Amino acid sequence: MNASRRHFLMSAAALSAAVATPETVWAAMAQEAAAPWALATADLEADVAPRAMRLVHGRAPDGLAGTLFRNGPGKFRRPGGSATHWFDGDGLMRSFRIEDGAVMLAARFADTPKRRTETEIDAVVTPGFGTAGDARARIGSNDDANAANTAAMVTGDKVWALWEGGSPLQMDAATLATERFVTLRDDLRGMPFQAHPRRAPDGTIWNVGTNADQAIVWHMNPDGSLISAGLVALPRASYLHDFTATERSLIFVLQPWVFAQRRMPFSTQFAWRPELGTQVLVVDKSDLTRTRIFELPAFSFFHLGDGWEEADGTIRFDVAANRDASFAIEGARVLVAQRGAVPGEPSVLKLITLHADGRAEMASTGVTAEFPKGDPRRPCSLRNLTVHVHGERGDRPLPNGLAIQNWATGQNQAFLFDDTQIMEEAVFVPKPGRTDEADAWLVAPSINLAEGVTELHVFDVAAVEAGPVATWRADVALPAGFHGAWRG
């Protein structure tokens, strides 16, 4: 698997005739004014030294203390050639440390071989998800192309910057200094470790990595040390950004965006084949050879919520589902171009049910949603609540609010800012000594377009529709990030 991935990355130079510059890729948009949301994909030119954020609304809740780590692309453009897709910017790890009612913000770029090479020649030349790269790329392994730009995973006093095609990049949680790529086992060096690990009720961590129709399954201790690694054969070579799990099973949702040809950039290897429908592969955690397949109508997705299994064997999990892969292919390009209309429709929150008798069904809330998250006190277990970003529209490609879906009542409670805010993913933070799902805060940043700065908000899960109970404002704007993790 590792050799195969290395092969197609090393072949990128032969598949790209010229560096992709803003002038060539964005020529059709050149005369248009920058979109009002352009700050979401603006370049950050340097690390952000620790600085205090200013409280501008409400008051900090008693008992709220810890650090929100968030990861996402932070730089896309260089004079000699630029990234042409949102998923290909240099990884930027952010930390929002809340203590005694105050917030300290810091951000540092992941010091990857990719970033060092491109800083040296002042050009983006490395092939990626939607960026072709060119012959100047220095690719000897998966991790030479690793942007470390997608998610964060906390292990003790370290935070791992996660990508989906290579190793975790270990950073110091206090300083955000880059330390090393993590090798979980010597003979598995550089194997894919995706951006959405799942914690089990026993505290251990499961994650996967995929290449074509194979998946490596990682099982780890809470400190990040390896328990086991195994291979699973997938029934199709489908693009897979996320998986989910119950206490007993791993769940792979295989959308009909399937491998069709080997070329770069990575996204061009796949073809949208809706006639194939969507398959759901359920794998027994205790025996990776024991599998079941369920069939659903065609849909595309990036993100799943935690799954749970009921006493009769019924499995349920939620998904931010879309009609097709148009955002992944073209929409994320428009975001980096900062001009033009983003194609496709917003994702919608849906609940998938897998019955023990082999039937599968999917019920829609009708609510636009992305980044579904659940209560960390209930990993892989029965739960009622899902928090998600909300408010994306056809004329507004990024969300401006948060919402909570209650699966028990069917109600969805939401709060929307106006269009001067871009809302980012929220994480659940349990209130000390409390156990009910509603006894938690939501902590999430946003980009205030009117002020040109990043803000941090705290919502009460029990009254999210009332808006933030506290808001702090930075003196700098950070580009929109993807995923985060909380360390209490």
Side-chain angles (χ1 to χ4, degrees), residues 112-114 142-149 161-163 165-169 181:
T112 61
K114 172 188 183 297
N142 292 4
D143 287 331
D144 289 333
N146 192 334
N149 68 358
L162 307 182
W163 190 54
S167 307
L169 183 71
F181 282 119

Side-chain angles (χ1 to χ4, degrees), residues 267-287:
S267 61
T268 63
Q269 298 189 22
F270 297 88
W272 179 247
R273 297 279 305 281
E275 69 276 12
L276 297 177
T278 295
Q279 291 183 317
V280 182
L281 178 70
V282 177
V283 179
D284 191 321
K285 285 180 173 178
S286 65
D287 181 355

Side-chain angles (χ1 to χ4, degrees), residues 142-366:
N142 292 4
D143 287 331
D144 289 333
N146 192 334
N149 68 358
T150 309
M153 176 177 141
V154 177
T155 59
D157 61 354
K158 308 298 180 183
V159 57
W160 291 3
L162 307 182
W163 190 54
E164 63 182 37
S167 307
L169 183 71
Q170 182 171 292
M171 306 174 81
D172 183 87
T175 67
L176 304 184
T178 296
E179 295 183 346
R180 60 182 175 87
F181 282 119
V182 176
T183 298
L184 292 170
R185 203 170 76 195
D186 287 343
D187 62 322
L188 299 176
R189 183 182 301 273
M191 293 282 270
F193 185 95
Q194 289 193 327
H196 294 283
R198 299 282 174 181
R199 292 189 183 268
D202 63 3
T204 62
I205 302 164
W206 293 81
N207 200 10
V208 304
T210 62
N211 182 40
D213 59 356
Q214 295 183 92
I216 183 169
V217 174
W218 304 100
H219 189 202
M220 294 165 289
N221 292 303
D223 65 0
S225 59
L226 186 65
I227 298 172
S228 65
L231 287 176
V232 171
L234 304 176
R236 67 169 61 150
S238 172
Y239 174 69
L240 187 80
H241 174 74
D242 194 3
F243 78 108
T244 191
T246 69
E247 185 170 4
R248 294 185 292 182
S249 302
L250 305 174
I251 299 167
F252 298 83
V253 179
L254 305 172
Q255 61 186 305
W257 195 28
V258 295
F259 179 81
Q261 58 190 337
R262 191 166 296 286
R263 58 183 295 186
M264 292 302 287
F266 183 68
S267 61
T268 63
Q269 298 189 22
F270 297 88
W272 179 247
R273 297 279 305 281
E275 69 276 12
L276 297 177
T278 295
Q279 291 183 317
V280 182
L281 178 70
V282 177
V283 179
D284 191 321
K285 285 180 173 178
S286 65
D287 181 355
L288 300 183
T289 67
R290 295 179 58 188
T291 64
R292 292 175 288 159
I293 296 178
F294 296 80
E295 302 286 344
L296 285 167
F299 66 90
S300 184
F301 78 101
F302 279 108
H303 301 115
L304 306 169
D306 267 338
W308 68 90
E309 189 164 348
E310 298 170 358
D312 65 356
T314 300
I315 292 173
R316 303 186 198 274
F317 60 94
D318 39 3
V319 57
N322 211 309
R323 290 180 58 184
D324 56 36
S326 59
F327 177 81
I329 298 168
E330 294 298 336
R333 290 182 177 275
V334 175
L335 289 184
V336 173
Q338 301 183 327
R339 293 168 174 82
V342 176
E345 300 176 1
S347 297
V348 173
L349 187 66
K350 300 185 179 184
L351 184 69
I352 293 175
T353 301
L354 308 178
H355 297 281
D357 63 6
R359 291 178 298 118
E361 57 192 39
M362 184 164 63
S364 177
T365 65

Side-chain angles (χ1 to χ4, degrees), residues 355-426:
H355 297 281
D357 63 6
R359 291 178 298 118
E361 57 192 39
M362 184 164 63
S364 177
T365 65
V367 177
T368 60
E370 252 300 354
F371 304 138
K373 301 280 279 190
D375 184 350
R377 294 166 294 190
R378 291 163 171 79
C380 304
S381 305
L382 178 65
R383 60 181 171 84
N384 291 326
L385 303 183
T386 294
V387 61
H388 58 89
V389 295
H390 181 52
E392 188 173 359
R393 309 185 305 267
D395 62 342
R396 160 80 186 206
L398 295 165
N400 65 345
L402 285 181
I404 294 181
Q405 175 71 23
N406 187 317
W407 297 109
T409 66
Q411 292 184 318
N412 190 279
Q413 303 291 331
F415 174 81
L416 295 177
F417 290 104
D418 62 25
D419 282 355
T420 63
Q421 293 273 5
I422 294 172
M423 198 72 217
E424 302 189 49
E425 177 198 68

